[in-house]
Amino acid sequence: MNRQKNRERLRQETFDLCIIGAGASGAGAALDAALRGYRVALIDRGDFAGETSSRSTKLIHGGVRYLEQAIKKLDLAQLRQVRHGLAERRTVIRNAPHLAHPLAILTPVFSWFEGMYMTIGLTLYDLISGQDSLPKGSWLSKAQALDKSPMLTRQMHSAVLYYDGQFNDARYALALAHSADEAGAVVVNYAAVTDFRKESGRINAAIVQDQFTGETIDVRATVFLNCTGPYADSVRLLANPDLDQRIRPSKGVHIVLPRETLNSDYAILIPKTTDGRVVFAIPFGDKVFVGTTDNDYSDLNQEPVLEPSEVDYLLETVRPYLDKTPERSEVQSGFGGIRPLIVSSRADTKTLLRDHEVEHDTTSGLLSLLGGKWTTYRVMAQDAIDWVGELLNKSAKSSTETHYLVGGENYKYADWQRLQNQYNLPAEVCQHLMRTYGNRADQVAQLTQQPALANKLTDSQPFINAEVVYQVREEMAVTPRDVLARRWRLELSDWQLTAQLAPQVADLMATELDWSDAYRVEQIRAYQHQLNTFMTRAGLTHERTEALT
C-alpha cells in the first residue's frame, strides 16, 4: 500500500463507492466491493483499526452470554446472533490462518450442578456451531483442569472446557485493507471527512482533509457508506442534521498481566460477575488480557482509557478463579474500546444487541452500517455492499467467504524453519514473522540482507528493524504508534517497554519517510507523553510512571 500514490488517485478518480471508516466493517466492505468489480475508495481519519477494531478481547465467537440470554428469555434475535457468529468463526480462521486460530477456554465451576449447567449450555453451543474444525468441549475433573491450567483456584469443583477462536484484531483489519488495496481499492489512512458536497440535497462528494499536511481533497463517488462504528452518528448528522441518533456507545476495558498469571495456553471464562457480565482472562503472546467491562460512554472526543476503578473491578473479578491473586503492581498496561451498540428500548448496554443494521438515508443518500461485532464483520460488509449494488444498479455476488487475505494463502507455520535456514535469523524471530505476516514473511526477511535490519530492537521481544521498514513501505505505517500499537501489539501489552522502543522505531521511520530531526523528536515526545498519561490515568504505581519519564 502506497499512501502518496493512493492520495493522488483519491484526487483524480471518481468512484462507485467511498467508504468512511477503515475498521473491521469498513475494510471488510472495501474488500467485498473491490472483489465485485466496483471502483472503491476507503478512507479513515486515523490509522486502520485505530479505534474500536484494535481493542477487542481478541476472540472470534458466537457469544456464550448471548446464548444464555437467548435460552433464558426465549429470545430468537439473540439466538440468531449466536448462530451467525459461530458460522462466521470458521470463515475468519480459514481466510487468515496466520492471524487466527482455535483457543481452548476453561470455565471453573464450584458445584456439580453448576458444572452440569455449563456443560449443557456449552454442548448446545457446539451443536449450533455445526461441523467446523474446532475441537468439541468436555467436562473436566479438578485434577484434569489443574493439569491444563495450574494457576486455577483449588476451591473449584471442576471445570468445563470449550473452544472458540482467537485472533490478532488490528492486523486482521490491516490485512482486510491491504487485500482491498491489492484488489484495486484506493486505501488512505489519516484522511478525515470534514464535510459533504451535495447536489439537490444528495451527497456527491466528501471533503477530505489529510491529517498531516492539512490539504483537502474532494472525493467524488456515487454512493457513500458510513462504517465509523461508535462514531457513526457524527457522520450521519453531517450528511443530514435532521436524523435521530442511533448509536449508544459502551466502553469496555482490559487490563494486561504477566503470562505467569495463568501459566497456560488455556483461557478462562468467568461466567458471572457482580453486575451480570462475563469476563475472560486470555493468554495473548507473553501476556494475559483480562476483560471486559461494559459501561455507557459519552465523551467520544476523548480516547477511552483505563481508570483505577476499572483496574480494581477486573482484579476483584478474577480473584476467586485463581490460586494466586494478581496485584495492582503487576498490571503492565491496559486498553479501552467503544462498542457501537444500536439504540433500542432495552434498559442498559449489557442487554443491548450487537447485531447490525444497514440504514439508507433517502434524503442525503448516505448508507450507514450500524452495530455489529468483529466476528460477523464479513456478513455485515456483505449486507452493506449488496445494498450498494442495488443503488448502483450494478449488482454482483460477494466472494469474500472463500477469499484468502494478504498473507493467508498456502500459509504453513512450519515454514519458519525454512526462513531460519535461508536468512540465518533466530528461531523466535522466524516464528514471529510467520505468525505476523503469513506468506509475506519472506518479504520482511529479504530486507535483513542489509545487516543492520536483521537486528532485534530488544532482547525480550522478537521484533527486528526490517519489520519497521516493511511496515512503512508495504503497510502504510506513518507514526510510531501505528507500528507499536497496531502492526505490533506492544502498546497493548507493555506501556513501559513501548516507551523505551519508541525512539528506535522513530529513527527507522525517519529514514524511510524523510523526517526532519525536529519532527522525529516531536513524534517520540508526543507518543511517550501519551503513554505516560495512560499509566497515570490508570492509577498504576509511581515507580512505573517514573520509568516512562
Side-chain angles (χ1 to χ4, degrees), residues 353-416:
L353 272 179
R354 293 178 67 186
D355 218 343
H356 68 278
E357 176 186 330
V358 183
E359 175 195 74
H360 182 218
D361 173 31
T362 55
T363 300
S364 67
L366 180 71
L367 279 177
S368 293
L369 180 51
L370 307 175
K373 64 175 185 176
W374 236 119
T375 304
T376 55
Y377 84 87
R378 195 197 63 80
V379 172
M380 294 163 58
Q382 180 176 297
D383 289 350
I385 303 305
D386 283 347
W387 202 316
V388 169
E390 292 180 18
L391 294 176
L392 293 172
N393 198 25
K394 190 167 59 174
S395 294
K397 190 176 180 181
S398 175
S399 61
T400 54
E401 186 172 5
T402 55
H403 185 83
Y404 285 105
L405 304 187
V406 161
E409 192 166 10
N410 299 318
Y411 168 73
K412 297 183 181 66
Y413 174 66
D415 281 351
W416 72 264

Side-chain angles (χ1 to χ4, degrees), residues 430-443:
C430 296
Q431 292 164 1
H432 158 70
L433 293 180
M434 289 304 302
R435 286 192 296 263
T436 305
Y437 306 96
N439 65 24
R440 303 291 172 99
D442 274 282
Q443 295 182 23

